[in-house]
């Protein structure tokens, strides 16, 4: 067994934040190794796993613990205390079944129709705007789709504020660094949204409002765990938000998708004409662009991995971005090529922008199908229903900064409906 090479330093958090998505691949190259160790977030020691084999180990529930491993500051802003993301074992499987029960064919078809119809209905508004910032326009539009899909009441005059609060929370990935200036405003945004949703849960339970059966608001409000207990109303509000805050975050993939169409113009015609192309395109956007950087866990037992000993209790990080750009898993990973999904074998351990493994027993994202559907419908809309110009702007995607985004947000102008 060989010792694991180290990126020296008492706390490399600042370095991680500075090098962003490239930190892990930089270290792997520099140290000439697949597996390496670093210290971050208060000097804690982490072993960084990468690639298909790394993901396979990471999602082995017998060997890896997830509960308690997310940075506290991120739980306080992005996920919420007691959220599904933060629990393991029987309790997790029980509550995850609730989330997965929302992903019925009918509910998935509903989100497809909502996305299609809201974009179509938005055309006139965009025609009347001098410029449309796609990042901002889609965060608001997806707030309409998400709240409607979840059965939550969101008054028209509140939509912009809710969208902004959601965006602030999603941006709080930066909260792993203690110097994050937006920490307080993310926590404030979370409190506002939790209050608003908790009120609707209480009203639903009292029979004062009547969300349709099958919606997230209805199902979460009436759910009982395996011991027959309902969720307390605050945790219920937190997990209700976890059914549609991430849906609103798809605005980031939408902006990246627009950039991908712009930089790869041949894809536009294919989205319009080839039946499965929008699907392949959506998959490639999720693989190619920077979103979730890493996921944390801990070894439950002594583990041997790729010739290294990993002791029980060692903190681990799965390098999500690195795995999505791993040369062993993807041919020419730094090329944007939707066609690669023609022959993809559907492995649960290589395409992991939203986590990997099994939906029901692992922490893999419950909303992956929704994400693909929303991307398919949105990209089809922009490719075939409207024409527009792309003015000069800063289209840089800075991989040195987490979370990733296009500097300009992606701006279009002269929007016109195609007849
Ligand atoms: C979990 C990413 C969209 C609901 C996750 C995880 C990631 C992720 C990385 C954690 C995986 C892990 O810990 O192993 C994303 C991204 C999205 C997205 C990048 C698109 C922008 C959605 C949508 C929903 C959703 C649309 C709506 C239902 C959830 C839930 C979990 C989760 C409930 C927790 C699952 C668990 O702990 O078992 N997501 N997600 N996500 N996601 Fe998503």
């Amino acid at each position: 067994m060989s010792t694991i090479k180290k990126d020296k330093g008492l706390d490399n958090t600042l370095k991680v934040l500075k090098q962003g998505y490239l930190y892990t691949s930089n270290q792997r190259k520099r140290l000439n190794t697949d597996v390496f160790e670093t210290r971050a977030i208060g000097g804690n020691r982490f072993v960084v796993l990468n690639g298909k084999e790394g993901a396979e180990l990471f999602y082995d529930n017998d060997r890896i613990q997830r509960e308690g491993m997310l940075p506290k500051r991120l739980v306080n802003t992005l996920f919420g205390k007691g959220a599904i993301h933060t629990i393991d074992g029987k309790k997790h499987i029980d509550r995850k079944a609730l989330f997965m029960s929302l992903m019925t064919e009918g509910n998935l078809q509903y989100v497809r129709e909502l996305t299609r119809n809201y974009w179509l209905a938005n055309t006139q508004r965009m025609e009347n705007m001098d410029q449309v910032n796609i990042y901002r326009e889609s965060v608001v539009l997806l707030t309409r789709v998400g709240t409607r899909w979840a059965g939550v009441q969101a008054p028209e005059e509140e939509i912009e504020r809710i969208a902004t609060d959601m965006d602030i929370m999603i941006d709080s990935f930066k909260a792993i660094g203690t110097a994050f200036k937006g920490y307080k405003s993310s926590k404030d945004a979370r409190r506002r949204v939790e209050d608003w949703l908790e009120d609707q849960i209480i009203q639903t339970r009292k029979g004062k409002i009547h969300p349709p059966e099958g919606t997230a608001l209805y199902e979460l409000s009436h759910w009982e765990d395996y011991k027959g207990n309902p969720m307390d109303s605050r945790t219920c509000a937190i997990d209700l938000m976890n059914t549609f805050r991430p849906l609103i975050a798809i605005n980031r993939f939408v902006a990246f998708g627009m950039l991908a169409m712009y930089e790869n113009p041949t894809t536009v015609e294919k989205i319009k004409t080839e039946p499965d192309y929008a699907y392949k395109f959506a998959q490639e956007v999720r693989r190619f662009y920077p979103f979730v950087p890493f996921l944390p866990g801990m070894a439950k037992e002594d583990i041997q991995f790729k010739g290294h000993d990993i002791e029980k209790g060692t903190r681990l990080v799965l390098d999500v971005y690195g795995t999505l750009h791993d040369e062993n898993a993807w041919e020419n990973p730094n090329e944007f090529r939707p066609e690669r999904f023609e022959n993809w074998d559907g492995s649960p351990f290589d395409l992991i922008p939203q986590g990997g493994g099994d939906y029901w027993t692992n922490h893999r994202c419950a909303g992956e199908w929704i994400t693909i559907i929303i991307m398919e419908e949105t990209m089809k809309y922009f490719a075939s229903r409207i024409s527009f110009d792309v003015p000069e702007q800063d289209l840089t995607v800075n991989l040195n900064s987490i979370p990733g985004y296009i500097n300009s947000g992606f701006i279009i102008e002269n929007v016109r409906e195609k007849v």
Side-chain angles (χ1 to χ4, degrees), residues 208-366:
K208 293 198 171 152
I209 57 173
H210 305 279
E213 223 172 286
T215 58
L217 175 57
Y218 181 95
E219 298 300 331
L220 269 82
S221 298
H222 295 296
W223 181 76
E224 291 177 351
D225 68 12
Y226 64 93
K227 292 178 181 157
N229 300 318
M231 257 190 271
D232 73 83
S233 55
R234 197 64 177 187
T235 312
C236 197
I238 287 166
D239 263 354
L240 175 58
M241 198 198 312
N242 282 327
T243 69
F244 68 96
R245 184 201 58 254
L247 187 158
I248 294 164
I250 298 169
N251 79 311
R252 288 154 193 261
F253 282 144
V254 170
F256 286 139
M258 295 295 284
L259 178 62
M261 278 200 268
Y262 179 65
E263 290 184 340
N264 305 276
T266 55
T267 59
V268 179
E269 198 52 36
K270 291 181 185 172
I271 290 173
K272 271 198 266 184
T273 54
E274 287 181 24
D276 286 338
Y277 201 80
Y279 163 79
K280 290 179 244 172
F281 184 90
Q283 294 290 52
E284 183 67 341
V285 169
R286 296 192 316 123
R287 185 196 70 83
F288 187 79
Y289 289 99
F291 200 147
V292 174
F294 327 106
L295 291 166
M298 186 168 74
K300 274 184 180 174
E301 56 180 41
D302 291 345
I303 293 169
Q304 293 182 350
F305 180 68
K306 292 193 168 179
H308 303 289
D309 280 328
I310 299 174
E311 281 166 34
K312 177 178 174 179
T314 304
R315 287 165 196 264
L316 303 167
V317 156
L318 175 63
D319 180 4
V320 173
Y321 184 81
T323 301
L324 295 170
H325 292 80
D326 178 17
E327 283 178 359
N328 297 317
W330 308 101
E331 207 184 312
N332 299 326
N334 295 321
E335 280 175 20
F336 185 88
R337 211 162 52 79
E339 285 75 7
R340 70 174 77 243
F341 285 98
E342 252 153 47
N343 300 315
W344 179 56
D345 66 1
S347 162
F349 300 115
D350 55 15
L351 185 64
I352 56 164
Q354 297 174 227
D358 178 62
Y359 291 105
W360 280 264
T361 55
N362 291 126
H363 283 280
R364 185 178 192 142
C365 176

